[in-house]
Amino acid sequence: MKKIICLVLSAVMVLSLSSCTGNSVVEKARKEKQTTVETLENVFTVRENTFVASVDSMYRETKRYIDEYDYVKYVGFVLNQADPEDGKVNYNWVCRYGPGCCGSGTTPGFVVVYDGDLPEEKTWVEVTGKLKIAKEGDPIFTYLQDLLGTLYNDDNTAVPTYAYFEIERILNAKPELETVGIS
C-alpha cells in the first residue's frame, strides 16, 4: 500500500512539475519574446458601456496602463484628420461618438499608427495594439498638445504626457449595441 501511495505521489509531482515547464503557447511565446496578439493573454478590452471613462483614464494614466497590460483592444470607427492648410490627411484616429456635457458630444479615441492600410473613413474596426506615450518634440506630441491642450488629473495637476495607439491587428467590426429595456 505504501508503494502505491508513493507511486501516486511521485506521478502527481512529475505531472505538476511538467506543467510548469512552460510548454503552453503563451509561455513559449513569452520565452521567445514574440509579441503577437494571439499569443499574449494580458489584454485590456475597452467595453462600449465604459468607453468614454476608459479612454479618459488611459489618457490620464497612460504609464499605468502600459505597465499593467501588454495590449489594449477596442472597437471604433476610422476618422481621418486633415491639415486645414493643405487638406492632406496627417493623422488617423479610431474613435467613437460619446456623450458630452450640456448637449455637446465628444469623439473619444486615439490617434493610431499602423504599418498597413487603414480601411476607409467611418469604417468600424476592432483594433488591438499598444498604448504609447508621445515624446516631446515628436510631431505627434505637438499635434496632440495643440488639439487637446493641457489635460488635468482629478487633483488639478497637469498630465505630462499624450497617449497614442500603435495598432498590431485590425479587423472589420460592427459596434457593440446594447439593448435598453423600457418598462
Side-chain angles (χ1 to χ4, degrees), residues 104-122:
S104 65
T106 183
T107 312
F110 293 98
V111 167
V112 296
V113 176
Y114 184 56
D115 288 338
D117 294 327
L118 286 172
E120 290 182 28
E121 188 171 34
K122 298 182 183 173

Side-chain angles (χ1 to χ4, degrees), residues 45-56 58-59 72-81 92-100 104-112 121-127 171-179:
T45 301
V46 181
R47 304 277 180 221
E48 180 193 10
N49 60 343
T50 60
F51 191 85
V52 175
S54 294
V55 169
D56 182 62
M58 285 187 276
Y59 271 109
V72 172
K73 177 171 73 171
Y74 70 99
V75 174
F77 60 87
V78 176
L79 179 69
N80 301 323
Q81 184 81 40
N92 296 295
W93 291 74
V94 173
C95 50
R96 295 181 80 112
Y97 292 120
S104 65
T106 183
T107 312
F110 293 98
V111 167
V112 296
E121 188 171 34
K122 298 182 183 173
T123 301
W124 283 89
V125 293
E126 176 188 276
V127 290
L171 302 170
N172 282 334
K174 291 182 182 176
E176 297 174 29
L177 298 175
E178 283 188 358
T179 305

Side-chain angles (χ1 to χ4, degrees), residues 62-63 66 131-135 138 140-141 160-164:
T62 309
K63 179 122 175 56
I66 289 171
L131 201 55
K132 298 287 189 171
I133 295 175
K135 303 220 183 318
D138 289 346
I140 199 166
F141 179 90
T161 61
Y162 293 96
Y164 68 97

Side-chain angles (χ1 to χ4, degrees), residues 6 8 19 26 29-30 38 51 74 79 84 87 93 95 105 108 133-134 141 144-146 162 170 175 181:
C6 286
V8 169
S19 68
V26 172
R30 284 190 175 142
E38 289 79 19
F51 191 85
Y74 70 99
L79 179 69
W93 291 74
C95 50
I133 295 175
F141 179 90
L144 289 170
Q145 186 177 40
D146 290 346
Y162 293 96
I170 185 167

Side-chain angles (χ1 to χ4, degrees), residues 22-30 34 38-39:
N23 289 332
S24 76
V25 173
V26 172
E27 290 302 313
K28 184 177 179 185
R30 284 190 175 142
Q34 293 175 352
E38 289 79 19
T39 57

Side-chain angles (χ1 to χ4, degrees), residues 136-151:
E136 194 167 353
D138 289 346
I140 199 166
F141 179 90
T142 304
Y143 166 74
L144 289 170
Q145 186 177 40
D146 290 346
L147 182 70
L148 302 174
T150 302
L151 302 174

